[in-house]
Amino acid sequence: FFSVSPKSSMGDRYAAMRAVIGDDGVEKVRKSKVLCVGAGGIGCELLKDLVLAGFGHIVTIDLDTIDVSNLNRQFLFRKQHVGKAKATVAADVVRSFNSDVLVQGIQADIKEERFDNEFFSQFDVVFAALDNIPARRHVNRLCIASGIPMVESGTQGYIGHATLILKGKTQCFDCTPKATPKTYAVCTIRQHPDKPIHCVVWAKYLFSLLFGETDDVGKVTDLAEDRTYAAYSAESLFRKVFIDDINALLEIDSLWKKRSPPVPLMPLSEGGHEQRLWPSNDQKLLDERVAREMFSISFEELKKRRSKSEAALNFDKDDQEAMAFVAAAADLRCRCFFVPAETPFKLKTLAGSIVPAIASSNAAVAGLSAESAIRVVLGRANECVSSYLSRSIASGGKVFSPISLFP
């Protein structure tokens, strides 16, 4: 960390920073221009840190719009912001924290052609606060091509990391293999899933909302407080989540400017279902008719169980009825969004490997990212380390484990 100077200029908002990096250091930070790609979980925390640190010109880019499910941990957003662009709202909010800073928000896909090497070259540091590997690889390639330092960060539950990438001096993002992520952006899950795992996460949220205990209100669907599992039949629930909610998403035009829109399913027919809770061969893709049967039968069985139990039901992938409901709901969700299907066996594997997002992890990793950027702006990039956040206390009584970037 930085050493503290015994002399500093006091009486202004940057007094604490002057005590650490001096007057010249503060001026370098204030004259810098940085790009934050992503205004979600980590991005919101990072933008707050950058503005309060006094980075002079900040640009943030994010394609997504704000969903009600974002409000429990993306603290720049409020209920009145739902449906608006994340990047522009985040810029407006953090601008009010420090009027000295120029903040620009752009709602766009970072992969658009206008964001090329020339665009990246205007920045002193680029932050990759993204929730998917393809976009992070894209930003990594542009930073390497333009020679701009990149601070890459990510979280997975209680663990996380932040690391500096310098062309020709450190490993880049593509230099090491990446594990399959186990946490997923809620706005992706709720509004525009594009992978089977997104639909599995959504189906597990639906299960918890109906039969379990969850604080994640709004992650799946805006059911009124009095609309519990007891208020639904299989047919009415099917209509709510696979027809009405899909039609509601279609009304948000900004979501579908660069994406294929989903399609609602046909209503679930009443009666006439075969007693097929789980397919005889779960390594074959489900037929839609079978998925509908599984959804209907499993919901009614879970409804009976929940009505007889004082305690909420917990999802367990080895609970056949719970797993049948999640697998069927995920399969039907995939059909709405044209997501490639998976077998019930694969869906079961995916359902057992999901880790929730944690707000405090995002905040910690954002702070580490901002510190690395300050060192870069001061010309002290050689002092940067890869910082890893651990759920358990590491040696020395710390939750952060620094690893040297340079030989």
Side-chain angles (χ1 to χ4, degrees), residues 124-143:
D124 297 298
V125 182
V126 172
F127 299 91
L130 294 156
D131 56 30
N132 67 88
I133 289 178
R136 290 155 90 171
R137 283 179 171 151
H138 180 78
V139 173
N140 171 72
R141 287 192 291 268
L142 283 169
C143 287

Side-chain angles (χ1 to χ4, degrees), residues 143-150 165-172:
C143 287
I144 295 298
S146 56
I148 302 301
M150 168 180 156
I165 294 173
L166 288 174
K167 180 181 180 179
K169 296 183 179 180
T170 69
Q171 289 185 329
C172 74

Side-chain angles (χ1 to χ4, degrees), residues 296-308:
S296 178
I297 296 167
S298 60
F299 173 77
E300 296 297 348
E301 291 300 317
L302 290 166
K303 185 176 176 180
K304 292 176 185 176
R305 279 173 53 186
R306 182 66 181 89
S307 65
K308 295 176 182 179

Side-chain angles (χ1 to χ4, degrees), residues 7-9 12 14-23 26-27 30:
K7 295 182 180 181
S8 63
S9 301
D12 71 315
Y14 304 112
M17 285 189 61
R18 293 184 197 280
V20 178
I21 62 177
D23 293 345
V26 169
E27 289 309 306
R30 295 185 66 183

Side-chain angles (χ1 to χ4, degrees), residues 114-136:
R114 57 175 165 152
F115 303 124
D116 54 12
N117 289 352
E118 183 179 356
F119 175 83
F120 273 68
S121 296
Q122 66 183 295
F123 299 102
D124 297 298
V125 182
V126 172
F127 299 91
L130 294 156
D131 56 30
N132 67 88
I133 289 178
R136 290 155 90 171

Side-chain angles (χ1 to χ4, degrees), residues 19-331:
V20 178
I21 62 177
D23 293 345
D24 290 343
V26 169
E27 289 309 306
K28 288 180 179 179
V29 171
R30 295 185 66 183
K31 291 178 180 178
S32 64
K33 185 175 183 179
V34 299
L35 170 65
C36 180
V37 186
I42 295 176
C44 280
E45 296 288 346
L46 185 53
L47 288 168
K48 173 203 68 180
D49 293 344
L50 296 176
V51 166
L52 294 178
F55 282 82
H57 188 173
I58 303 168
V59 178
T60 182
I61 299 174
D62 196 306
L63 178 61
D64 286 330
T65 56
I66 299 163
D67 189 82
V68 66
S69 58
N70 301 141
L71 304 184
N72 70 336
R73 67 196 175 285
Q74 296 178 21
F75 301 123
L76 298 181
F77 307 139
R78 298 291 182 267
K79 191 172 183 179
Q80 65 267 26
H81 298 141
V82 171
K84 298 179 180 179
K86 284 187 176 182
T88 54
V89 171
D92 290 342
V93 173
V94 297
R95 195 179 295 119
S96 67
F97 298 168
N98 186 350
S99 59
D100 295 340
V101 176
L102 175 62
V103 188
Q104 180 184 5
I106 303 173
Q107 183 186 19
D109 187 342
I110 192 60
K111 295 181 181 180
E112 292 179 19
E113 291 184 2
R114 57 175 165 152
F115 303 124
D116 54 12
N117 289 352
E118 183 179 356
F119 175 83
F120 273 68
S121 296
Q122 66 183 295
F123 299 102
D124 297 298
V125 182
V126 172
F127 299 91
L130 294 156
D131 56 30
N132 67 88
I133 289 178
R136 290 155 90 171
R137 283 179 171 151
H138 180 78
V139 173
N140 171 72
R141 287 192 291 268
L142 283 169
C143 287
I144 295 298
S146 56
I148 302 301
M150 168 180 156
V151 180
E152 200 279 322
S153 59
T155 60
Q156 183 173 297
Y158 290 97
I159 64 174
H161 74 277
T163 189
L164 174 67
I165 294 173
L166 288 174
K167 180 181 180 179
K169 296 183 179 180
T170 69
Q171 289 185 329
C172 74
F173 183 79
D174 282 330
C175 288
T176 55
K178 299 295 181 290
T180 302
K182 295 184 179 181
T183 57
Y184 306 91
V186 176
C187 55
T188 300
I189 295 165
R190 180 179 160 102
Q191 296 181 335
H192 47 83
D194 58 18
K195 295 180 176 62
I197 184 63
H198 298 156
C199 298
V200 172
V201 175
W202 176 89
K204 287 185 68 177
Y205 286 152
L206 181 61
F207 175 91
S208 295
L209 183 68
L210 291 167
F211 306 110
E213 294 178 347
T214 176
D215 294 325
D216 297 322
V217 177
K219 278 190 174 180
V220 176
T221 183
D222 298 317
L223 298 175
E225 291 184 3
D226 60 341
R227 298 285 283 175
T228 65
Y229 70 93
Y232 287 96
S233 64
E235 290 77 17
S236 62
L237 178 63
F238 187 97
R239 173 174 288 279
K240 178 72 176 78
V241 297
F242 297 119
I243 300 176
D244 296 347
D245 286 353
I246 298 301
N247 284 328
L249 284 176
L250 290 171
E251 294 177 2
I252 307 175
D253 293 335
S254 59
L255 283 176
W256 317 117
K257 289 180 179 179
K258 297 182 180 296
R259 301 184 179 100
S260 297
V263 294
L265 300 179
M266 295 296 292
L268 187 67
S269 301
E270 294 188 20
H273 303 300
E274 297 180 25
Q275 296 301 308
R276 192 181 322 202
L277 181 64
W278 192 257
S280 56
N281 184 352
D282 64 4
Q283 298 199 42
K284 290 179 60 178
L285 294 177
L286 288 175
D287 178 82
E288 183 176 349
R289 178 179 57 82
V290 175
R292 286 168 174 262
E293 292 172 359
M294 288 173 58
F295 180 86
S296 178
I297 296 167
S298 60
F299 173 77
E300 296 297 348
E301 291 300 317
L302 290 166
K303 185 176 176 180
K304 292 176 185 176
R305 279 173 53 186
R306 182 66 181 89
S307 65
K308 295 176 182 179
S309 173
E310 294 183 2
L313 303 182
N314 294 315
F315 175 78
D316 184 339
K317 65 182 179 64
D318 295 320
D319 179 331
Q320 190 178 52
E321 291 166 348
M323 190 60 239
F325 179 81
V326 167
D331 182 90

